[in-house]
Amino acid sequence: MSERPSPAPASAPSLGDSLARGWDEPDDGQELPPPEWGRSARSRRTATVWLFALFVLALTAGQALLAGRFTHGAFLAWATVFTAISLQALPFLVFGVALSAAITAFVPARFWQRAVPRRAALAVPVAGLSGAVLPGCECASVPVAGGLMRRGVAPAAALTFLLAAPAINPVVVVATVVAFPGQPEMALARFLASLGAAVGVGWLWAAFGRAEWLRPPRIGHGAEATGWRAFVDAMRHDLMHAGGFLVLGGLVAAGMNVLVPREWLAAVADTPVLSVLALALLAVVLSICSEADAFIAVSFTEFSATAVLAFLVVGPMVDLKLIALQAGSFGWAFVRRFVPLTLALTLAFTFLVGGWLL
């Protein structure tokens, strides 16, 4: 007695069949999709509108309740410092983002492969000296370094440029000469100490740095585009990404600026080593752009020349807003290793060059 063949299992309907049939038409007893399907995007948009409305309502209520409470001198000082840091840094950040986008969009990778030596021993000093050509502050150097890495430049060379460009470019050198009239040795000491620290960090990173410590720079949507489309896409992505971390760094720097009393610094001005460390810490906290920090440093008349040099050398390479920008671009694993290394080298070259020239 022959067995009756079992029916073949029905195959699952394809997406094309479902679209052709329509979700409201049953298919051989198959269950219809859940009723919430097809409406999730609209629901999310509605929820977003309500959340934004609640946010605006909360701001309005907060302004009505707390309007008279934000007139304290400390808060006004904090707001002034935050505004000054943000407005001072924003033009240079835009400049750096535009330059980084131009590098990504218009400069072919083969140019950098030819311009930058392959050996790190030569690539690092070449990148350091190239920082003397390009005006810009530390806010601009981070996106530019990211753009160089995207075009195939070795991370050690790109990071050397990141440190050197805001510290030894022509605008900074001229500003230092103007701020310290009759003291050209201060500008020379700043140039030599900054270049030495940048190259030293680059060589050490080339020798001991690991790929997993450095998150590859992100590329925005439209990475496959070329020319002006790629320029606009890269600039929009980098500006939104780096701008948020600039604001975060400015908030922290303004808070530390208000909370750290100047009397604490004056108390250590007469101690050689502590005075250097105190002005180095102040440079990290104040987060002043390198084009303007010389005019602040000249006011520290109670400190030694080497301590003032520490303020000028450390600030463009290690400050709060720069740390935030580096973390946003390269990750916190990078910052945890790169910032202490940079700080140690800047202090070492400050003592070395300051003791020699000043």
Side-chain angles (χ1 to χ4, degrees):
M1 183 176 179
S2 61
E3 296 182 358
R4 184 177 180 181
S6 59
S11 59
S14 65
L15 178 60
D17 296 336
S18 300
L19 293 177
R21 184 180 65 255
W23 288 117
D24 55 343
E25 298 178 16
D27 179 24
D28 298 332
Q30 182 182 358
E31 294 183 1
L32 292 174
E36 64 271 14
W37 282 24
R39 296 203 299 267
S40 59
R42 180 180 301 177
S43 300
R44 287 195 298 268
R45 288 195 296 268
T46 303
T48 301
V49 171
W50 278 109
L51 286 175
F52 181 74
L54 291 175
F55 177 71
V56 172
L57 182 61
L59 288 180
T60 304
Q63 192 274 340
L65 294 174
L66 304 175
R69 300 177 182 266
F70 293 117
T71 57
H72 191 274
F75 175 79
L76 294 179
W78 174 87
T80 301
V81 173
F82 169 69
T83 303
I85 290 175
S86 300
L87 293 181
Q88 186 183 51
L90 187 59
F92 297 102
L93 178 64
V94 173
F95 171 77
V97 167
L99 183 60
S100 172
I103 290 173
T104 302
F106 302 116
V107 181
R110 61 179 179 274
F111 171 81
W112 301 109
Q113 295 171 359
R114 296 174 182 174
V116 180
R118 292 184 177 273
R119 294 181 57 188
L122 296 177
V124 166
V126 167
L129 289 173
S130 66
V133 180
L134 181 64
C137 75
E138 57 270 25
C139 302
S141 66
V142 174
V144 172
L148 291 175
M149 292 182 196
R150 287 197 292 262
R151 304 312 291 167
V153 175
L159 295 176
T160 302
F161 177 85
L162 182 152
L163 296 177
I168 65 173
N169 71 70
V171 177
V172 170
V173 174
V174 171
T176 306
V177 171
V178 173
F180 293 88
Q183 303 180 57
E185 65 276 7
M186 182 61 74
L188 178 60
R190 180 179 193 176
F191 182 92
L192 294 178
S194 300
L195 179 60
V199 173
V201 170
W203 276 336
L204 288 176
W205 192 270
F208 303 105
R210 298 180 181 178
E212 59 267 24
W213 294 348
L214 179 63
R215 185 179 66 197
R218 299 174 182 176
I219 303 177
H221 297 289
E224 72 282 353
T226 58
W228 286 105
R229 175 64 182 275
F231 173 82
V232 173
D233 289 343
M235 186 169 180
R236 183 191 303 116
H237 174 268
D238 288 349
L239 185 60
M240 295 297 295
H241 188 69
F245 283 93
L246 171 63
V247 172
L248 176 62
L251 290 171
V252 176
M256 294 297 295
N257 193 342
V258 173
L259 295 175
V260 177
R262 288 292 296 269
E263 292 79 8
W264 293 5
L265 299 176
V268 299
D270 295 331
T271 307
V273 176
L274 288 181
S275 63
V276 171
L277 297 178
L279 284 193
L281 176 62
L282 185 64
V284 174
V285 170
L286 291 183
S287 302
I288 303 172
C289 279
S290 55
E291 280 80 2
D293 60 0
F295 299 97
I296 304 298
V298 74
S299 65
F300 301 133
T301 55
E302 66 271 22
F303 288 85
S304 66
T306 302
V308 174
L309 178 64
F311 183 86
L312 297 174
V313 174
V314 173
M317 299 190 187
V318 184
D319 66 30
L320 293 180
K321 71 177 186 299
L322 181 58
I323 291 172
L325 287 170
Q326 291 174 355
S329 299
F330 308 125
W332 285 108
F334 166 79
V335 167
R336 288 196 301 269
R337 296 167 174 85
F338 186 74
V339 170
L341 173 64
T342 304
L343 183 59
L345 266 291
T346 52
L347 289 174
F349 276 91
T350 294
F351 282 111
L352 180 64
V353 177
W356 173 42
L357 288 178
L358 305 178

